[in-house]
Amino acid sequence: MIIGTTLILVACHSNDSEKSKNTESPDAGVTANAEIEERLDAIISELSLEEKAAQMAGVAILPSQGLWLTPGIERFGLPGYRMTDGPRGVTTNRSMYGSAGLSPTTCFPVAMARGATFDVDLEERIGRAMGLEVKAWGGNVILAPVINILRHPAWGRAQETYGEDSYHLGQMGAAFIRGAQENVVASVKHFAMNSIENTRLEVDVRANERVLREIYLPHFKVAIDEARVGSVMTAYNSVNGSFCSENEHLLKEILKGEWGFDGFVMSDWIWGAHSTVQAVGAGLDLEMPTGAHYGAKLLRAVQTGELKEEAIDEAVRRILRKQLAFELDKRSYEPDPGMVDLDAHNALAREAATKSIVLLKNEASALPLDREQVTSIAVVGSFAQVSRTGDEGSSSVEPPYTVTPLEGFQNRSEDVNIRVFARDILSLDDKKEIADTDAAIVVVGFTSEQEGEKIDIFNTGGDRQTLDLSPEHEALIREVAAQNDRTIVVIEAGSAVTMESWLADVEALLLAWYPGQEGGNAIADVVFGHVNPSGRLPLTIPVSLDQLPKFDSSSLSVTYDYWHGYRHMERQQHTPRFPFGYGLSYTEFEYSELQVSSDSIKSNGVLGVTLKVSNVGKRTGTEVAQLYISYNESTAQRAPKELKGYARVTLEPGESKDLSFSLRAKDLAYYDEPSNRWKVEPMSYGLHLGPSSADLRLEKSFQITN
Ligand code: BGC
């Protein structure tokens, strides 16, 4: 029997150049603008130049009690900012500052894993949970989310962002911000084009205006328009010859000018700022973590007339505005662990981890393990006994506990006999024993030395030099597969992995990313079938590096064109190993009844799109229906197709649901460089729906008229 229901979803992506209103509303826990501006007038007129200059820099090179501080102003009851990092959880340095009276913080799966959930509601709940943990710790700013485009999967900090697609980044980032800003101010980062780790401090990333506007910036605009983010952190690198922290085009003209951003811009840490007068003029409001270029130099610049006091007033206004708007002056900063329902956050971490796992291969229905046939399993690899939660950089979290893959399997094993080979080099005896088990699960991946934020003093992180697993892990997989036909591989990594030397040998493959504190339980839930996998790739997995644009982690100057990810693959007619949006389920889905509200809409109009998705398999499962647009008649060079909407839908066996999307014509515009304007072309557009960028099952065209 088919049961029908309707889900209403909105696909929206804003790239118009109108100034956003960015008005604060009570539903975001903030007070009205006019009243705030009056209070700001009064405060700023009372502050001395010294006090104003002091507002524009953090107070210490090291965090105090795990928080980076900016100065408060006691006589106005203003607390200053108290910042800590995300984005995989709240970074509190408990081991450095002790945990007395302070709550431990939850380690969620890394952002790339959460990108694979395509679940904006979940991301909003995670943002809310992290915001609350910051508040409970005594903070009021979370330095997250990261919404940099994954230009290339070798990027060391790939794990901190949500994927390669701008639309997707905008949706996930805005969801996180909406949730987090119920409790604290979010600082979206790193603006802009941060995409190489090893030379992050000096690389100059060049791009023309169209590439900037269409590929690298639109998701930041969504964070402002749709989530009213309170703060933006600049990137270390320069863009078109000017460091991001003093880049007038990025900060003054686009962010604050065209987009109407009314929050404050802060530098990235220690090496992020490069100048005083130029940076203030370009729109950098706050230097962090101290005033190497601001502070005394700022004061001097005003005293010598190099800088007008109004420029300082404007920056201070922005910095204080969000303290008032978020009512940070009405809050206590005593740490209060009681605010956090730890059990609920642990459960959220587990939900995110189970939803983020992507089933990439499942021959002969190897998964889920059939308990009637599989009574013994071999769990193989040193990674099985370790919790891989991600890198050791600014995003590293010290969770209350972790669950290793092995512990997860043990928690779920019931009467299945587990044999453990927690090593990467196997003896002859090991191999014989592995051959005797009904299935072998090999856990492999990367460490924080191999990828992550590069912290030289700890010799950790950096860009990956190859997308292959280590030769030891590749050999391990092949050896196990040679012994056991039912070999299942679990990869823990921050982005794409190439796998040509072993993929054909194994029956099943799960990409678990860095799955957070509950990772082991989540992996076991999927392996034993307690959860039907629903993760989808937020990036393309190529056959080899040759299919991708060039990536040189030592470059000091790179020029980015319009092409990366699935857009690049399709343009080059490369067949990836696994395409963007791909992921298997233990059930099957069918797509039908695609309808549009009209065959033609105006260039300021909205198209209604509906379709039916049915579960035609035997298990309850979740599909991520994806909507792409093609532009065959365009006079401009466009991507073969682009993601413009998606929806997760959970269906019982035999159940169908109607999904509905709203597509705004203006979201199909391209940036016309000669006129410096967005243009919606009057022409026919292709609408494509399906389970991945390479499997689009329903198609229709519609017209946009002038
Ligand atoms: C990172 C930022 C982080 C900051 C503070 C920097 O090195 O690039 O993402 O927010 O440190 O920890």
Side-chain angles (χ1 to χ4, degrees):
M1 186 182 72
I2 300 285
I3 322 153
T5 348
T6 302
L7 285 186
I8 307 291
L9 304 141
V10 179
C12 48
H13 175 94
S14 80
N15 53 12
D16 60 316
S17 59
E18 275 168 48
K19 278 206 176 173
S20 73
K21 300 262 183 338
N22 212 16
T23 44
E24 313 287 15
S25 77
D27 61 341
V30 289
T31 45
N33 264 341
E35 186 194 322
I36 288 174
E37 298 309 315
E38 271 173 36
R39 280 180 70 196
L40 288 170
D41 290 341
I43 294 170
I44 292 169
S45 67
E46 292 278 319
L47 294 178
S48 67
L49 179 60
E50 286 75 5
E51 284 176 310
K52 288 189 285 193
Q55 283 298 303
M56 292 175 64
V59 297
I61 199 87
L62 279 176
S64 159
Q65 296 175 353
L67 296 167
W68 305 97
L69 306 179
T70 71
I73 312 174
E74 225 182 312
R75 68 182 190 283
F76 295 112
L78 293 169
Y81 290 114
R82 305 163 66 84
M83 309 176 177
T84 180
D85 272 295
R88 74 173 187 255
V90 178
T91 315
T92 50
N93 290 311
R94 279 166 63 238
S95 52
M96 206 190 291
Y97 297 101
S99 53
L102 300 170
S103 41
T105 56
T106 312
C107 182
F108 293 94
V110 292
M112 188 63 79
R114 283 149 33 211
T117 69
F118 283 76
D119 190 335
V120 282
D121 165 67
L122 172 66
E123 192 56 17
E124 188 167 329
R125 286 186 282 134
I126 289 174
R128 188 174 301 129
M130 279 192 217
L132 189 62
E133 291 190 7
V134 174
K135 194 172 176 181
W137 181 263
N140 56 23
V141 174
I142 184 159
L143 303 171
V146 174
I147 55 169
N148 291 113
I149 285 270
L150 183 75
R151 163 104 184 155
H152 193 288
W155 180 34
R157 292 182 79 173
Q159 61 189 273
E160 290 187 58
T161 192
Y162 297 105
E164 71 180 34
D165 179 79
S166 169
Y167 172 79
H168 182 46
L169 281 168
Q171 297 303 303
M172 297 300 280
F176 179 95
I177 294 162
R178 277 195 301 271
Q181 292 203 155
E182 287 182 22
N183 293 300
V184 293
V185 179
S187 186
V188 69
K189 62 191 188 185
H190 310 85
F191 191 69
M193 300 187 96
N194 173 210
S195 55
I196 299 178
E197 185 55 10
N198 291 5
T199 53
R200 64 174 166 163
L201 301 183
E202 53 265 312
V203 62
D204 181 32
V205 187
R206 310 196 73 88
N208 67 31
E209 201 60 21
R210 179 167 182 213
V211 170
L212 261 182
R213 303 285 187 146
E214 284 188 43
I215 309 292
Y216 291 94
L217 299 188
H219 33 288
F220 283 96
K221 184 167 192 293
V222 173
I224 290 155
D225 284 353
E226 291 172 25
R228 289 169 299 163
V229 72
S231 169
V232 172
M233 187 193 294
T234 55
Y236 284 124
N237 52 275
S238 60
V239 168
N240 292 330
S242 170
F243 280 112
C244 291
S245 59
E246 54 188 35
N247 193 312
E248 195 168 328
H249 185 49
L250 286 180
L251 303 182
K252 195 169 166 185
E253 291 171 8
I254 299 181
L255 178 68
K256 294 180 173 179
E258 285 178 35
W259 297 354
F261 172 63
D262 73 346
F264 61 102
V265 175
M266 71 172 99
S267 70
D268 202 342
W269 262 235
I270 305 176
W271 310 279
H274 297 267
S275 59
T276 308
V277 176
Q278 190 179 335
V280 175
L284 180 72
D285 303 307
L286 176 64
E287 183 186 4
M288 289 302 290
T290 51
H293 294 275
Y294 281 15
K297 288 188 189 164
L298 202 56
L299 205 54
R300 235 182 355 263
V302 181
Q303 285 157 350
T304 58
E306 282 176 276
L307 199 59
K308 291 214 168 72
E309 189 162 347
E310 292 84 74
I312 307 276
D313 288 354
E314 164 63 12
V316 172
R317 177 177 289 273
R318 285 173 173 275
I319 291 167
L320 299 184
R321 179 180 284 139
K322 294 297 162 181
Q323 291 183 31
L324 298 183
F326 282 76
E327 300 186 336
L328 302 184
D329 52 336
K330 299 194 179 139
R331 177 182 294 183
S332 154
Y333 290 95
E334 272 305 298
D336 179 6
M339 276 183 197
V340 178
D341 177 351
L342 281 179
D343 291 343
H345 288 195
N346 296 340
L348 190 58
R350 180 155 178 177
E351 178 188 346
T354 50
K355 285 179 168 174
S356 69
I357 294 173
V358 188
L359 176 63
L360 289 174
K361 179 173 180 182
N362 197 16
E363 253 174 38
S365 299
L367 290 177
L369 293 178
D370 178 345
R371 284 177 193 272
E372 294 195 348
Q373 284 175 20
V374 177
T375 58
S376 63
I377 57 172
V379 175
V380 188
S382 62
F383 275 39
Q385 237 175 9
V386 184
S387 283
R388 297 272 164 218
T389 55
D391 81 346
E392 298 290 324
S394 57
S395 73
S396 113
V397 174
E398 298 166 36
Y401 67 89
T402 57
V403 181
T404 67
L406 177 60
E407 287 163 345
F409 295 132
Q410 284 162 340
N411 292 343
R412 281 298 193 190
S413 63
E414 294 169 20
D415 47 4
V416 174
N417 176 18
I418 299 188
R419 312 259 274 277
V420 184
F421 306 88
R423 46 194 164 271
D424 295 337
I425 296 179
L426 301 173
S427 68
L428 278 178
D429 284 347
D430 291 344
K431 290 184 194 170
K432 276 193 211 128
E433 281 189 56
I434 290 168
D436 285 345
T437 55
D438 297 328
I441 305 173
V442 194
V443 187
V444 289
F446 291 94
T447 64
S448 53
E449 282 77 44
Q450 290 166 312
E451 63 174 342
E453 186 175 355
K454 191 165 164 55
I455 311 284
D456 286 329
I457 43 168
F458 301 131
N459 198 18
T460 177
D463 300 309
R464 282 199 225 154
Q465 296 310 312
T466 161
L467 297 186
D468 290 339
L469 293 170
S470 66
E472 294 74 32
H473 277 184
E474 291 202 333
L476 180 69
I477 296 170
R478 285 192 298 264
E479 278 174 7
V480 173
Q483 304 304 322
N484 196 310
D485 289 342
R486 181 127 302 177
T487 292
I488 295 142
V489 173
V490 177
I491 296 182
E492 294 179 311
S495 80
V497 174
T498 43
M499 45 187 81
E500 297 311 296
S501 82
W502 53 265
L503 183 62
D505 302 348
V506 306
E507 273 197 339
L509 170 61
L510 292 172
L511 181 49
W513 315 101
Y514 297 120
Q517 65 184 43
E518 282 282 347
N521 283 334
I523 293 167
D525 278 346
V526 169
V527 165
F528 286 110
H530 298 278
V531 168
N532 190 347
S534 59
R536 302 289 185 265
L537 289 178
L539 45 68
T540 303
I541 298 192
V543 169
S544 69
L545 272 176
D546 307 337
Q547 289 187 327
L548 301 180
K550 189 168 169 287
F551 180 81
D552 174 3
S553 61
S554 62
S555 5
L556 296 180
S557 176
V558 283
T559 299
Y560 286 172
D561 61 15
Y562 196 65
W563 306 102
H564 78 285
Y566 67 86
R567 294 165 169 85
H568 165 83
M569 299 296 281
E570 289 177 20
R571 175 173 182 246
Q572 296 294 337
Q573 299 185 325
H574 290 324
T575 305
R577 178 50 57 219
F578 297 110
F580 177 87
Y582 179 81
L584 299 169
S585 162
Y586 297 152
T587 188
E588 297 286 329
F589 300 98
E590 262 179 24
Y591 285 64
S592 60
E593 298 178 27
L594 173 59
Q595 280 169 8
V596 287
S597 55
S598 165
D599 290 340
S600 119
I601 54 168
K602 295 216 167 97
S603 57
N604 59 357
V606 178
L607 185 76
V609 179
T610 56
L611 75 151
K612 193 184 282 296
V613 179
S614 311
N615 181 347
V616 294
K618 295 194 173 61
R619 281 172 177 266
T620 300
T622 300
E623 176 66 316
V624 179
Q626 299 160 40
L627 182 160
Y628 295 82
I629 294 291
S630 62
Y631 315 88
N632 291 342
E633 293 180 3
S634 178
T635 54
Q637 191 179 33
R638 307 288 300 256
K641 58 182 180 288
E642 288 180 314
L643 184 70
K644 293 291 176 187
Y646 53 77
R648 276 177 70 91
V649 55
T650 299
L651 299 164
E652 306 282 326
E655 189 185 10
S656 291
K657 278 184 185 160
D658 293 331
L659 303 186
S660 104
F661 295 85
S662 297
L663 191 65
R664 297 183 304 196
K666 69 176 180 181
D667 294 337
L668 310 186
Y670 78 95
Y671 192 81
D672 180 55
E673 276 207 275
S675 63
N676 274 334
R677 292 175 64 116
W678 290 94
K679 278 196 175 165
V680 180
E681 287 178 286
M683 62 175 191
S684 169
Y685 291 77
L687 189 63
H688 312 263
L689 282 119
S692 89
S693 61
D695 183 7
L696 294 167
R697 301 183 185 171
L698 302 176
E699 296 189 333
K700 236 186 197 344
S701 60
F702 64 96
Q703 197 78 26
I704 295 185
T705 57
N706 251 331

